[in-house]
Amino acid sequence: MVDTKGCIFNIQRFSIHDGPGIRTTVFFKGCPLQCTWCSNPESQKHLPEWMWDNSKKSKVITGEYFSVDEVIADVQKDIDYYTESGGGVTVTGGEVLAQLPFVINLLKKCKQKGIHTACETSAYSSKKKFLLLLENVDLLIMDIKHYNSDKHREKTGVKLEPIIENLKLAISSGNEMLLRIPIIPGYNDSLADSEQFALLLSSLRIQTVELLPFHQFGKSKYRFLDREYEFMNTPQLSANDLLPHKKIFTSYGIHCKIA
Ligand code: SF4
């Protein structure tokens, strides 16, 4: 029963930051990475779990099993908004590659209904799985956290190499793609780091990158999950803080946006 359903912790309507236009964003539970700055820590574990709900003043279960048809029924409610705004559905997590059969079914059904699809992913998976995702999604939004494999493993728990291999596949597929780099204080936020990222992107002939300034939107969730948060006292970064970084990417001929 459970394997025919997807474990989802949020379906957010009227999203405007997860791809073009007005979108419904479907958040899948479970991620093979354990980024210590993750702003959705409730997405990391694969199964439903207890989390404090401040509005209810009690613990609630986060993560629920849905069928594809149940999700489609929900996302279809806003089909007129997608059409008018050039929007659609975005699948994110957690990591969508961790629940791939369900995600592929959902993406296919969206396509049948003429709904544009996007996915946000770390791209950490086998090539076979990643190719299947590429074949079924309109827009790939991919984050890369570090250019150095040891540093990558240090704060995400996984190697960088499979991600780079899948990035190469995404480039050669010709899919529409947006590559993003979250800029994390003390981890990858020096100008020397941006220089190394720019060198990597240039070697892969990537022409556009988006920088995501570190934020604290997920801070209270760590407390609600009763988990330690390494960045509890780390100030957020602003778009202005990243202007010198943007300059470095631009100097390499890479079009750089700051989110
Ligand atoms: S890849 Fe994304 S969802 Fe997974 S742990 Fe890292 S920040 Fe969180």
Side-chain angles (χ1 to χ4, degrees):
M1 192 70 174
V2 162
D3 61 355
T4 62
K5 296 193 167 191
C7 190
I8 289 166
F9 69 93
N10 193 12
I11 298 179
Q12 187 176 295
R13 295 168 69 188
F14 301 107
S15 302
I16 51 165
H17 297 296
D18 302 319
I22 295 172
R23 313 190 70 83
T24 297
T25 305
V26 183
F27 292 83
F28 284 82
K29 207 155 161 25
C31 187
L33 279 68
Q34 300 290 300
C35 308
T36 55
W37 62 85
C38 183
S39 59
N40 286 322
E42 78 276 40
S43 75
Q44 292 180 332
K45 290 190 179 168
H46 293 261
L47 297 175
E49 63 188 307
W50 289 101
M51 182 176 182
W52 179 259
D53 184 325
N54 221 21
S55 63
K56 294 183 177 149
K57 300 289 176 221
S58 67
K59 280 191 168 185
V60 297
I61 292 278
T62 178
E64 205 181 322
Y65 289 96
F66 291 88
S67 69
V68 169
D69 287 344
E70 284 169 330
V71 179
I72 286 288
D74 219 5
V75 304
Q76 273 196 140
K77 290 175 189 162
D78 294 332
I79 206 155
D80 291 344
Y81 293 104
Y82 310 150
T83 310
E84 276 172 35
S85 68
V89 167
T90 299
V91 291
T92 185
E95 175 51 67
V96 294
L97 288 155
Q99 297 191 56
L100 195 59
F102 182 92
V103 168
I104 295 297
N105 285 342
L106 178 60
L107 293 173
K108 282 183 174 166
K109 283 232 167 159
C110 286
K111 191 150 276 189
Q112 282 165 12
K113 294 184 181 299
I115 300 173
H116 178 271
T117 57
C119 76
E120 292 179 338
T121 178
S122 69
Y124 184 77
S125 75
S126 67
K127 286 185 181 181
K128 194 175 163 191
K129 279 183 159 187
F130 192 68
L131 277 172
L132 196 57
L133 180 63
L134 281 175
E135 283 165 14
N136 285 284
V137 75
D138 296 316
L139 168 64
L140 182 84
I141 303 172
M142 179 176 162
D143 287 3
I144 185 162
K145 307 8 171 155
H146 215 283
Y147 51 85
N148 175 285
S149 191
D150 290 337
K151 293 285 284 182
H152 192 275
R153 193 199 284 259
E154 186 186 306
K155 288 211 191 291
T156 69
V158 304
K159 301 189 285 189
L160 176 62
E161 287 79 359
I163 293 172
I164 297 293
E165 288 308 308
N166 284 337
L167 175 56
K168 289 177 185 168
L169 282 181
I171 295 164
S172 58
S173 74
N175 267 58
E176 194 186 350
M177 180 178 87
L178 172 62
L179 188 73
R180 307 185 304 192
I181 302 172
I183 302 293
I184 309 300
Y187 179 56
N188 63 6
D189 67 331
S190 73
L191 295 181
D193 289 324
S194 282
E195 191 88 29
Q196 291 301 317
F197 270 123
L199 279 168
L200 173 65
L201 269 48
S202 296
S203 73
L204 296 169
R205 301 188 197 287
I206 289 172
Q207 291 167 350
T208 302
V209 69
E210 184 170 84
L211 305 182
L212 308 173
F214 170 76
H215 63 72
Q216 285 286 15
F217 302 153
K219 185 174 180 172
S220 55
K221 293 182 180 183
Y222 284 84
R223 191 160 36 86
F224 296 157
L225 287 161
D226 208 10
R227 285 196 217 157
E228 293 290 317
Y229 177 40
E230 179 181 332
F231 293 89
M232 185 58 77
N233 300 313
T234 306
Q236 302 195 115
L237 295 174
S238 69
N240 273 349
D241 291 328
L242 300 192
L243 288 176
H245 298 259
K246 178 176 176 171
K247 216 170 162 182
I248 289 173
F249 286 97
T250 306
S251 74
Y252 279 80
I254 299 166
H255 177 61
C256 180
K257 298 184 276 188
I258 301 174

